Amino acid sequence: MLRITIVLTSILLFLTACEEKKAPLTTANFTVEYLTNPTGIDAAAPRLAWTVQGAYRGARQSAYQILVASTREKLDLNQGDLWDTGKIASDGSIQIPYQGQPLRSEQVCFWKIRVWDGQDVASAWSDTQFWSMGLLDRSDWKATWIGYDAGLKDKRHPVKPWGNETERKDVYRPLPAPFMRYEFELDKPVRQATLYATALGDYRFFFNTNRVGNDYFTPGWTDYNKRVYYRTYDVTSLLKTGPNVAGAILGPGWYSGNVANLGQNFYGDKPRLRGQLHITYEDGTRDTIMTSSKWKTAHGPIREADMQGGEHFDARMVWHGWDQPEFNDKNWSPVDTTDSYDIELQAYPAQPVVKHVELPPHSITRLAPGFYLVDFGQNFTGWTRVQLTGSSGLKIEQRFAEMLNSDKSLYVKNLRSARATDTFICRRPEPTVWEPNFTYHGFRYVELSNYPGHLTPDKIRGVVAYSNLPRTGNFICSDSLLNVLYQSALWSQRSNFLDIPTDCPQRDERAGWMGDVQVFARAAAYNMDVSAFLSKWMREVAETQYEDGRLPSMAPRIYGKTAAGWGDAIIIVPWRLYEIYGDKRILEEHYEGMKAWMTYVEKNSENGISKVWSFGDWQHIEGDVIPTDLFSTAYFAHSANLLSQIATVLGKNDDAARYQQLFAQIKTAFKEEFILSSGLLEGNSQSAYVLALQFNLLSDEERSKAIKNLMRRIKIQNHVLSTGLHASGKILSVLGENGHKDKAYELLQTDKYPSWGFQIARNATTPWERWDGYLGAGKFNDSPTNSFNHFVFGSYVEWFYSTIAGIRSLEPGYKKILIAPRPGGGLTFAKGEYLSIYGKIASNWEIVDGRFLLHIEIPANTTARVILPSDAPMEAVTESGNIAAEAEGVMFVKAGDGAIEFEVQSGVYQFEVPISN
């Protein structure tokens, strides 16, 4: 009777929570197309989002109103002349498409919102936000493409696939970065000045000595023969009445510099720059300054600028004052021009690459007079900023590497044909602080040669650069190894999320391998806000697709090889973005491409068995091989199942039924083809069992056998992993969800070979591509595929958030949240946080004297299911010192099988319960 009373009380309190009058809601975290106050976007119906905040349990939005105005003044008067939604009865606060007046090029839109709570009490109006439109029509672009072709040759410089160290000497033809300038006069005060800039190459703009923006490697990597991004900058403060100078430096970038191991000039051999400065004066009149044949150019100190080769800077050739008025440019040449290219210009839709932090040296070793070895203590992506003082003509070199040989020399064999060398030639014996402009390296160590004087820690810094993605997650626990593994995965994501998600940042590859991204996508989203970043990359994926539906294995496309498990990214990554951010539009945009891929795989299958080639479970342990047909068919089934769900979301019911039927057919074929009479899967590898279980390809009875066989394989492997790129990211969840959570913890916490802990024990600071990349005592695997910074092999971090902290999504965008931490591995506490699109989610637990204490935070406008790991009776659970089922905002659901479940509304909760044995 007591239990019935508690349950009824629980339901009543859950339903009536927040019925009493509370303080009004507030709003925060405003975004347009996932960006904060973006400039120069080109989405015709940009999507708005905000978070709701309330200092009480059960805070929720019942309605909203959006005002969008053409001027700040009109918005201040609550005049939404572009869009006034009126009061909309809805709890929607994400993915709200603009539905106002048609937007024109360059239009600035000011907006604000207010919301109503469950008691119909309105919030105050939010602070004013804004976005601006870019150049929406091709005809808006009037500027000429300009460059400097002196010294360039129409010659491709290819590198043999998987080039070796000796080839480095002859694959680089120095590609300089020309300087360009144009003087112009402004005869009246400027109200607004906006620069639209793009390049076939890599640009940097200046006005009157001031650099424009703080971004790097612009406009970004695309298939330049089809599509190029442009960026938009507010440069009002950089202009002045009277004489002005526009300056630019044009590097080869991905356009004509070395790309992967395909050499130079992959997309073209003549870099080009295009820019338009749109000026509005205080009196309302307008003017435009453009790149044109009137600009002048000359080579300067940047004698070579290459992503892989490095930068060669000759300070003796610096043009002092080149970006100031009245500079004497009589010896400069007219620019070379190209009127037009048959390519599409699009606004850059994500966060750019920027500097983030500067690392001090961990140690500096003097190897010989003028020769130093610097260890930054962390493998990362970027470059150095170094203070140099030397006589004119002194040549100082920096060489970069991830690892050292046993004699303290740089281990560079794994760089293949990437020279990774920066060179500085001194102008005069005065201190100069230098850092490169158009290159980056993946490294922990840097060797300096011919360095004059004594290199002290204050004279050198490691500059960390990556796409400016907001941090969304955090994790820490009582196990120091797991904390190091977490940081290792995070650093690898930083290292490789540089405009596109590259597989590795150091060697002559640095490519957007699709398989890596689809495996790591959810882990990536826990760590950082990848909504705009991966949405942008999906554009690159889409433009790689061939007419027959097949896809290459990387985007942008530089190799054409099609591979199962890699091409499937066109389905898996948009689905992840939908799950994580509630993004239905990404499914709509890529739906036809998804179908085309599935059609291609169907045509290349026999009786439900895919015959699409694949790399398989890349870098698995030798001798534990997954058959190619099994691997490809598993992904064939998985993509059919996902595509059925996607079709359902989009209301395409006939397609949904067809792809679900296809999934069932493939599942049947899979079992008939690959389950042997002994009950083993063909190949009997850890990877095979993991994929079959993760992709739901087995019956209940078959699942039970597969789990037992997987456990046997792990035991045979001496209780370590034999999996590769795909299954290593899934094995922890497969074990945890099938009754073997303790084995998952064991695999994480061991330092036996092969394991993640084995790498940490050998001073790894980022995940390796190969389990045997380095065995200690100077023993390297000299395979050409031996990266020491491969983000996909840090996909274990997903399990840290989803299982150790227990934060998962039950509805798209985390509208409904699951909090289900699963302690184990001797952990006594764990703290996980994730900033979802609705707001902060926290799950912090500790075990004290046999009791499980759980602190959770559920953001306003969402609800959660909480599962406590205990076989105690429901009455034993307390929340903030009271019986949990009687607490405000809490409703008991069920208990049993070592778990107690509750539904909770938004708010902060403190649960306590005796922990299960």
Side-chain angles (χ1 to χ4, degrees):
M1 187 66 183
L2 175 61
R3 170 171 284 223
I4 295 174
T5 301
I6 292 175
V7 171
L8 291 174
T9 302
S10 173
I11 295 172
L12 180 62
L13 288 170
F14 182 81
L15 294 175
T16 59
C18 311
E19 290 300 316
E20 58 186 278
K21 191 171 183 179
K22 306 287 187 180
L25 299 173
T26 58
T27 53
N29 302 317
F30 309 95
T31 62
V32 179
E33 288 298 307
Y34 298 122
L35 305 173
T36 302
N37 293 333
T39 56
I41 68 173
D42 58 9
R47 294 162 296 176
L48 314 184
W50 59 89
T51 60
V52 176
Q53 300 176 344
Y56 54 88
R57 292 183 179 179
R60 65 183 180 88
Q61 171 189 302
S62 64
Y64 67 83
Q65 182 180 8
I66 302 172
L67 294 182
V68 183
S70 57
T71 67
R72 191 181 296 271
E73 292 74 21
K74 289 181 178 179
L75 193 68
D76 289 342
L77 296 173
N78 296 334
Q79 296 175 4
D81 61 318
L82 295 178
W83 191 34
D84 181 348
T85 64
K87 183 179 179 181
I88 303 294
S90 169
D91 64 353
S93 60
I94 66 170
Q95 309 293 345
I96 308 297
Y98 172 84
Q99 298 179 52
Q101 297 295 318
L103 300 174
R104 54 176 173 77
S105 293
E106 304 183 70
Q107 185 159 18
V108 181
C109 303
F110 300 90
W111 68 288
K112 63 182 179 181
I113 67 160
R114 60 175 173 173
V115 299
W116 284 260
D117 64 14
Q119 292 292 298
D120 204 33
V121 175
S123 71
W125 284 105
S126 69
D127 293 336
T128 296
Q129 311 297 313
F130 72 89
W131 80 84
S132 70
M133 304 303 292
L135 302 180
L136 305 183
D137 298 319
R138 182 183 288 259
S139 61
D140 292 329
W141 285 94
K142 310 293 186 184
T144 301
W145 294 91
I146 64 173
Y148 191 32
D149 300 340
L152 299 181
K153 298 178 181 179
D154 296 330
K155 184 178 180 182
R156 183 82 172 275
H157 286 255
V159 182
K160 296 177 182 178
W162 317 128
N164 59 48
E165 185 176 358
T166 60
E167 290 175 321
R168 283 193 202 98
K169 298 177 182 178
D170 56 14
V171 300
Y172 287 94
R173 176 173 56 84
L175 296 175
F179 286 56
M180 305 175 186
R181 70 187 307 273
Y182 177 71
E183 293 194 28
F184 59 97
E185 189 93 9
L186 299 179
D187 58 3
K188 45 191 171 182
V190 173
R191 179 196 302 167
Q192 177 67 45
T194 303
L195 173 68
Y196 301 94
T198 187
L200 300 174
D202 185 355
Y203 68 80
R204 191 164 296 180
F205 263 98
F206 302 82
F207 286 102
N208 303 318
T209 76
N210 298 295
R211 183 186 168 186
V212 174
N214 63 350
D215 43 9
Y216 288 82
F217 313 122
T218 49
W221 188 0
T222 58
D223 185 339
Y224 296 97
N225 296 312
K226 296 180 180 178
R227 185 172 55 87
V228 181
Y229 289 122
Y230 67 88
R231 288 194 43 77
T232 303
Y233 307 89
D234 182 347
V235 296
T236 309
S237 64
L238 307 185
L239 303 183
K240 59 185 180 181
T241 303
N244 289 262
V245 171
I249 311 174
L250 179 60
W254 288 288
Y255 179 72
S256 61
N258 278 279
V259 170
N261 65 335
L262 300 178
Q264 298 171 338
N265 302 331
F266 180 73
Y267 295 102
D269 62 301
K270 294 180 175 62
R272 287 292 184 265
L273 175 74
R274 196 182 202 189
Q276 291 186 187
L277 175 63
H278 291 206
I279 300 170
T280 301
Y281 297 105
E282 289 287 1
D283 62 7
T285 58
R286 293 169 59 88
D287 199 359
T288 303
I289 306 296
M290 299 177 290
T291 51
S292 69
S293 59
K294 297 179 180 178
W295 286 52
K296 300 190 75 175
T297 184
H299 290 308
I302 304 177
R303 310 307 297 165
E304 178 184 11
D306 190 90
M307 296 284 200
Q308 298 176 13
E311 186 163 315
H312 183 120
F313 190 95
D314 189 341
R316 297 170 301 178
M317 301 185 70
V318 168
W319 296 99
H320 291 286
W322 72 278
D323 51 1
Q324 299 178 36
E326 300 180 2
F327 171 77
N328 185 356
D329 61 9
K330 68 177 183 179
N331 292 324
W332 286 39
S333 303
V335 293
D336 294 294
T337 64
T338 304
D339 290 335
S340 65
Y341 291 94
D342 187 21
I343 53 178
E344 181 181 2
L345 287 175
Q346 289 183 346
Y348 193 83
Q351 299 90 344
V353 176
V354 299
K355 296 181 187 178
H356 285 267
V357 295
E358 293 190 354
L359 301 179
H362 177 72
S363 67
I364 299 178
T365 303
R366 185 173 179 267
L367 303 173
F371 287 79
Y372 290 88
L373 176 68
V374 180
D375 176 7
F376 286 101
Q378 174 63 56
N379 203 359
F380 69 97
T381 293
W383 51 85
T384 61
R385 181 175 60 82
V386 61
Q387 181 176 313
L388 305 164
T389 305
S391 58
S392 179
L394 180 66
K395 180 180 177 181
I396 303 168
E397 281 193 349
Q398 299 179 76
R399 297 170 62 232
F400 300 84
E402 298 179 292
M403 301 286 280
L404 297 179
N405 293 305
S406 56
D407 63 358
K408 301 295 184 182
S409 63
L410 299 181
Y411 179 75
V412 297
K413 194 171 185 64
N414 70 322
L415 302 184
R416 304 194 306 221
S417 66
R419 181 154 38 86
T421 302
D422 289 345
T423 303
F424 184 89
I425 298 180
C426 297
R427 177 185 178 94
R428 54 177 175 259
E430 295 179 359
T432 299
V433 176
W434 180 75
E435 58 187 284
N437 300 273
F438 298 114
T439 192
Y440 74 90
H441 311 287
F443 68 103
R444 172 176 172 170
Y445 302 96
V446 57
E447 178 189 272
L448 288 88
S449 59
N450 281 342
Y451 187 86
H454 184 55
L455 180 62
T456 54
D458 60 308
K459 294 180 180 178
I460 188 167
R461 288 291 184 269
V463 179
V464 180
Y466 54 94
S467 289
N468 196 21
L469 309 182
R471 182 84 175 271
T472 51
N474 223 320
F475 175 88
I476 192 170
C477 70
S478 58
D479 187 304
S480 59
L481 173 59
L482 297 190
N483 292 336
V484 173
L485 285 173
Y486 172 75
Q487 289 295 328
S488 175
L490 181 62
W491 270 104
S492 193
Q493 184 172 346
R494 288 170 175 151
S495 300
N496 285 289
F497 279 37
L498 189 145
D499 187 67
I500 68 163
T502 61
D503 60 326
C504 57
Q506 75 296 98
R507 68 188 182 214
D508 61 350
E509 190 165 354
R510 313 183 191 191
W513 287 93
M514 297 182 191
D516 301 44
V517 181
Q518 64 92 351
V519 168
F520 192 72
R522 189 181 291 280
Y526 275 124
N527 284 334
M528 301 176 184
D529 180 356
V530 295
S531 52
F533 179 82
L534 288 184
S535 295
K536 167 196 167 294
W537 180 72
M538 281 306 304
R539 295 186 184 185
E540 277 75 85
V541 171
E543 74 182 0
T544 69
Q545 193 164 31
Y546 295 93
E547 291 184 2
D548 62 357
R550 64 190 166 98
L551 288 152
S553 49
M554 56 180 68
R557 184 174 76 205
I558 48 181
Y559 298 126
K561 189 71 172 178
T562 297
W566 276 257
D568 296 277
I570 198 170
I571 294 173
I572 297 170
V573 174
W575 179 248
R576 291 285 178 262
L577 294 175
Y578 172 71
E579 289 181 311
I580 296 164
Y581 304 108
D583 190 341
K584 186 177 176 181
R585 185 179 289 181
I586 195 81
L587 302 180
E588 295 169 341
E589 288 178 355
H590 297 285
Y591 186 68
E592 292 304 318
M594 297 175 191
K595 289 176 62 178
W597 167 251
M598 285 302 297
T599 298
Y600 170 77
V601 180
E602 282 187 86
K603 288 181 178 179
N604 288 272
S605 63
E606 298 176 5
N607 300 317
I609 302 302
S610 172
K611 297 298 179 179
V612 176
W613 180 86
S614 182
F615 299 97
D617 201 16
W618 180 252
Q619 301 294 12
H620 59 78
I621 292 298
E622 186 175 352
D624 210 24
V625 181
I626 182 171
T628 299
D629 284 0
L630 189 156
F631 179 92
S632 299
T633 302
Y635 265 105
F636 184 22
H638 182 52
S639 287
N641 190 25
L642 290 185
L643 192 49
S644 175
Q645 297 178 61
I646 291 168
T648 299
V649 170
L650 299 181
K652 300 179 183 294
N653 297 329
D654 290 345
D655 282 358
R658 187 178 95 75
Y659 289 118
Q660 193 57 41
Q661 182 181 22
L662 178 61
F663 170 63
Q665 292 169 350
I666 302 168
K667 186 174 178 179
T668 298
F670 181 92
K671 292 189 288 186
E672 292 175 352
E673 182 76 11
F674 301 118
I675 299 180
L676 306 179
S677 59
S678 62
L680 300 176
L681 282 177
E682 186 176 322
N684 194 27
S685 65
Q686 290 184 21
S687 300
Y689 294 114
V690 168
L691 293 189
L693 290 161
Q694 182 78 4
F695 294 163
N696 192 28
L697 302 181
L698 307 173
S699 67
D700 290 345
E701 181 182 353
E702 291 161 346
R703 287 185 69 86
S704 178
K705 290 180 180 179
I707 283 292
K708 291 178 182 177
N709 290 328
L710 173 59
M711 292 297 290
R712 289 192 190 102
R713 291 303 302 166
I714 294 173
K715 183 178 181 180
I716 289 171
Q717 292 290 140
N718 195 26
H719 301 281
V720 292
L721 298 164
S722 66
T723 49
L725 183 154
H726 293 265
S728 295
K730 300 173 174 64
I731 193 169
L732 299 176
S733 61
V734 165
L735 291 170
E737 292 168 8
N738 289 278
H740 295 282
K741 172 196 68 178
D742 291 342
K743 181 57 68 175
Y745 272 104
E746 182 183 342
L747 294 175
L748 271 173
Q749 293 173 308
T750 186
D751 62 1
K752 295 188 298 184
Y753 172 81
S755 67
W756 297 292
F758 177 85
Q759 299 173 10
I760 299 302
R762 280 143 192 82
N763 297 316
T765 61
T766 48
W768 301 348
E769 180 180 18
R770 303 183 67 94
W771 296 114
D772 60 353
Y774 179 66
L775 298 176
K779 296 178 181 178
F780 290 93
N781 187 316
D782 285 335
S783 162
T785 58
N786 191 17
S787 159
F788 293 98
N789 195 344
H790 240 67
F791 73 83
V792 67
F793 288 95
S795 54
Y796 54 74
V797 79
E798 177 183 338
W799 205 72
F800 288 22
Y801 288 101
S802 68
T803 303
I804 300 178
I807 299 172
R808 302 189 189 189
S809 174
L810 291 178
E811 293 181 6
Y814 290 82
K815 181 65 172 174
K816 185 169 184 179
I817 301 155
L818 175 65
I819 302 291
R822 303 192 65 191
L827 270 62
T828 58
F829 78 85
K831 297 180 179 180
E833 294 181 355
Y834 173 61
L835 184 61
S836 76
I837 198 168
Y838 282 102
K840 178 184 173 182
I841 304 167
S843 173
N844 305 332
W845 60 263
E846 60 179 327
I847 299 172
V848 180
D849 297 329
R851 297 185 66 79
F852 183 78
L853 285 64
L854 177 65
H855 167 93
I856 65 171
E857 297 179 39
I858 307 302
N861 223 22
T862 69
T863 60
R865 174 158 292 196
V866 180
I867 302 179
L868 303 175
S870 176
D871 53 12
M874 177 265 290
E875 297 84 352
V877 184
T878 63
E879 193 286 307
S880 299
N882 302 308
I883 296 176
E886 296 181 354
E888 179 188 17
V890 179
M891 183 175 71
F892 171 73
V893 177
K894 65 179 181 179
D897 298 323
I900 307 173
E901 297 187 24
F902 296 90
E903 294 278 343
V904 302
Q905 297 186 356
S906 63
V908 178
Y909 299 85
Q910 302 274 356
F911 289 96
E912 184 173 339
V913 65
I915 194 167
S916 297
N917 294 324

